[in-house]
Amino acid sequence: MTGDTLQILVECTEDKNARPLSLSGHVGFDSLPDQLVNKSTNQGFCFNILCIGETGIGKSTLMDTLFNTNFENFESSHFEPKVKLRAQTYDLQESNVRLKLTIVNTVGFGDQMNKQESYQHVVDYIDTQFESYLQEELKIKRSLHNYHDSRIHACLYFIAPSGHSLKSLDLVTMKKLDSKVNIIPVIAKADTISKSELHKFKIKIMSELVSNGVQIYQFPVDDETVSKINTAMNGHLPFAVVGSTEEVKIGNKMVKARQYPWGVVQVENENHCDFVKLREMLICVNMEDLREQTHTRHYELYRRCKLEEMGFKDTNPESKPVSLQETYEAKRQEFLGELQRREEEMRQMFVQRVKEKEMELKEAERELQGKFEQLKRLHQDEKSKLDEKRRTLEDEINTFNKKKAAAELLQGQSFNSNTNAKKDKDRKK
């Protein structure tokens, strides 16, 4: 049976609807949900929260209040040179359920003059976690079952309770992050503004988010068991929260609250703030959906973009399905072709440069030869002139010597004649 025939048979089988059958007795696969629950309980769960907000807006206090514990907190100043993302992981247990919780805090967010640096560090951190998971997925020998998933499942974006509108930094940051993480906006320190101002502020915030195209996390309404409460809670976004780990005695019981001279703000009183709503939506009802949305939506988008950058696609130009092996072979052939093309280009370039160098050398050789011939001719001319001058000088010397000899001869003859005359004169005396 050929591969094409097998593929046709598989496609025909998948096209047909599965035929329902009734069981004549108990089989046992109705225990699969229990098996899944037991396995998940034994393995434990992980949940990663990113807290974005200005320094001193109450991020650490809210985390302590949400999980009824005291996490390790560090004092931060407003003079950080750049935004730092500090991740701390804790092992929590409630009943028999274990949770590995990672809280990522943005230290120094919004304190820099260049606001772009504030959100860019956050974007880079989220992409780095996606890339780490992708690299683990692409390994030949994977260990995803015990891999510590550091991808951000929920982003609590803390909005300052100004009562006016969102800052430009808030809008830009949420716009940059809405395709990478589940954003849940919260109004921090909501006890600093009145209820009427808070209601108007919520409407203003949602209006600005919609007009700027910011997609925040919407609690799912497709599950009938939670659709009613999630629909109601979607209408309360953004949550106005108050955090406190201090307990104040109200009546006969101690409650988490903030004590003011004018009264007490109870954290878990829904008439005072939306803290209970946030905790219910974030932890009790939608934690698994946040994890699922992170994997199936945000991570899949990152993974698809990265694989497309590498040249991998699900279909060919004719819109037909392409297997990974076919894509790999196509990319391999494309790479080899590109390699050969570049090799040929480099060879042609090398040959061209050699020819150009040879022409330059020949031209230089011709120039040198021309200069040599010119110097040779100049040398011959100089030599001829020197020979001519030498001959002229020799002729002058010979002439001089002849004249000198003649003069000496005349002088000798004159001397002899004078001597003879003197002798004759003496004899006459």
Side-chain angles (χ1 to χ4, degrees):
M1 182 179 293
T2 63
D4 293 339
T5 306
L6 180 59
Q7 183 177 1
I8 292 173
L9 289 175
V10 171
E11 290 177 353
C12 292
T13 303
E14 291 178 349
D15 288 341
K16 295 179 180 179
N17 294 325
R19 184 163 58 96
L21 294 175
S22 59
L23 303 178
S24 59
H26 181 263
V27 176
F29 57 79
D30 57 350
S31 65
L32 276 174
D34 296 331
Q35 297 177 34
L36 182 60
V37 169
N38 293 334
K39 182 179 180 181
S40 299
T41 302
N42 292 332
Q43 290 180 347
F45 302 88
C46 75
F47 192 66
N48 306 319
I49 302 177
L50 171 63
C51 298
I52 301 179
E54 301 171 358
T55 303
I57 203 169
K59 301 185 292 293
S60 301
T61 303
L62 184 64
M63 288 298 101
D64 292 346
T65 312
L66 273 175
F67 291 94
N68 279 326
T69 186
N70 292 316
F71 297 114
E72 185 179 5
N73 297 320
F74 299 90
E75 292 292 334
S76 301
S77 69
H78 289 274
F79 304 101
E80 295 290 342
K82 63 179 182 179
V83 177
K84 299 178 182 178
L85 284 96
R86 182 183 295 130
Q88 296 170 282
T89 303
Y90 306 93
D91 288 322
L92 307 179
Q93 183 166 348
E94 187 175 31
S95 299
N96 63 335
V97 178
R98 291 180 292 108
L99 177 66
K100 184 181 289 293
L101 176 67
T102 299
I103 300 175
V104 183
N105 193 9
T106 52
V107 181
F109 180 81
D111 292 336
Q112 293 74 34
M113 293 295 293
N114 185 1
K115 301 300 182 182
Q116 180 179 356
E117 296 181 356
S118 295
Y119 70 78
Q120 191 58 50
H121 286 84
V122 180
V123 172
D124 293 342
Y125 179 85
I126 295 174
D127 286 343
T128 300
Q129 311 316 310
F130 283 152
E131 183 64 25
S132 299
Y133 193 88
L134 179 61
Q135 292 301 320
E136 183 65 27
E137 262 193 343
L138 296 178
K139 285 182 179 179
I140 296 176
K141 186 178 180 181
R142 303 186 298 180
S143 57
L144 291 174
H145 61 282
N146 58 3
Y147 173 77
H148 175 52
D149 186 4
S150 59
R151 296 172 298 176
I152 301 299
H153 300 124
C155 170
L156 293 182
Y157 197 96
F158 289 73
I159 300 171
S162 63
H164 300 294
S165 62
L166 289 171
K167 298 179 180 179
S168 58
L169 176 61
D170 297 331
L171 288 171
V172 173
T173 303
M174 283 192 274
K175 185 62 179 176
K176 292 288 184 180
L177 296 180
D178 63 357
S179 62
K180 299 177 181 292
V181 69
N182 302 309
I183 300 176
I184 302 176
V186 296
I187 300 173
K189 298 182 177 181
D191 52 345
T192 58
I193 55 178
S194 65
K195 282 190 174 182
S196 59
E197 291 176 335
L198 187 60
H199 179 69
K200 294 177 182 178
F201 191 35
K202 283 187 176 186
I203 296 175
K204 180 68 173 176
I205 289 173
M206 294 305 297
S207 175
E208 290 184 346
L209 292 177
V210 172
S211 61
N212 286 275
V214 178
Q215 300 291 327
I216 64 173
Y217 175 73
Q218 294 290 318
F219 304 119
V221 295
D222 51 351
D223 186 353
E224 294 181 358
T225 58
V226 295
S227 62
K228 185 176 181 180
I229 185 173
N230 281 348
T231 302
M233 290 300 103
N234 282 329
H236 284 84
L237 289 172
F239 292 131
V241 297
V242 176
S244 176
T245 56
E246 299 178 359
E247 292 189 345
V248 178
K249 188 174 183 181
I250 303 295
N252 295 324
K253 63 178 182 179
M254 302 296 291
V255 296
K256 287 185 173 63
R258 300 188 74 88
Q259 181 77 53
Y260 293 103
W262 45 264
V264 177
V265 177
Q266 300 179 38
V267 172
E268 296 180 339
N269 188 333
E270 295 191 46
N271 293 321
H272 291 184
C273 67
D274 296 332
F275 173 80
V276 174
K277 296 183 178 67
L278 173 63
R279 185 173 61 188
E280 289 290 320
M281 292 296 98
L282 179 67
I283 301 174
C284 303
V285 179
N286 298 302
M287 179 180 281
E288 182 56 31
D289 184 74
L290 288 164
R291 286 158 40 91
E292 183 181 346
Q293 286 291 320
T294 299
H295 183 76
T296 60
R297 180 187 169 197
H298 302 299
Y299 171 69
E300 282 300 319
L301 177 61
Y302 177 85
R303 176 179 175 274
R304 186 185 70 195
C305 293
K306 293 295 288 187
L307 292 180
E308 286 179 352
E309 287 178 7
M310 298 167 62
F312 292 96
K313 295 183 179 179
D314 294 331
T315 58
N316 58 16
E318 291 80 19
S319 299
K320 295 182 180 179
V322 180
S323 66
L324 182 63
Q325 181 66 25
E326 291 173 339
T327 305
Y328 169 76
E329 289 296 332
K331 294 299 294 183
R332 182 173 178 273
Q333 293 301 323
E334 181 182 347
F335 174 75
L336 291 177
E338 181 68 16
L339 187 63
Q340 291 177 356
R341 186 183 65 80
R342 290 189 179 183
E343 185 179 356
E344 182 64 21
E345 287 181 356
M346 293 181 66
R347 190 184 69 81
Q348 294 292 340
M349 188 181 298
F350 176 76
V351 172
Q352 182 66 24
R353 289 186 177 181
V354 168
K355 289 181 179 180
E356 291 175 357
K357 198 66 178 178
E358 287 180 350
M359 293 179 63
E360 290 177 2
L361 292 174
K362 288 181 179 180
E363 183 66 25
E365 185 180 1
R366 283 195 296 270
E367 291 180 0
L368 289 174
Q369 186 66 28
K371 290 181 180 179
F372 173 74
E373 294 295 336
Q374 184 180 3
L375 290 173
K376 187 177 180 181
R377 286 193 299 271
L378 291 173
H379 175 71
Q380 291 294 337
D381 294 342
E382 292 292 331
K383 184 179 179 182
S384 299
K385 291 179 181 180
L386 289 174
D387 289 342
E388 182 66 27
K389 289 181 179 181
R390 182 175 59 79
R391 285 192 296 270
T392 302
L393 182 61
E394 287 178 350
D395 291 343
E396 290 178 353
I397 292 173
N398 290 334
T399 302
F400 175 77
N401 288 334
K402 288 178 181 180
K403 290 181 178 180
K404 181 180 179 183
E408 289 177 351
L409 180 61
L410 290 174
Q411 187 178 5
Q413 291 176 354
S414 175
F415 178 76
N416 290 333
S417 62
N418 291 334
T419 302
N420 291 333
K422 187 177 181 180
K423 287 181 179 181
D424 290 341
K425 187 179 180 180
D426 288 342
R427 278 196 300 268
K428 288 178 180 182
K429 290 180 177 182

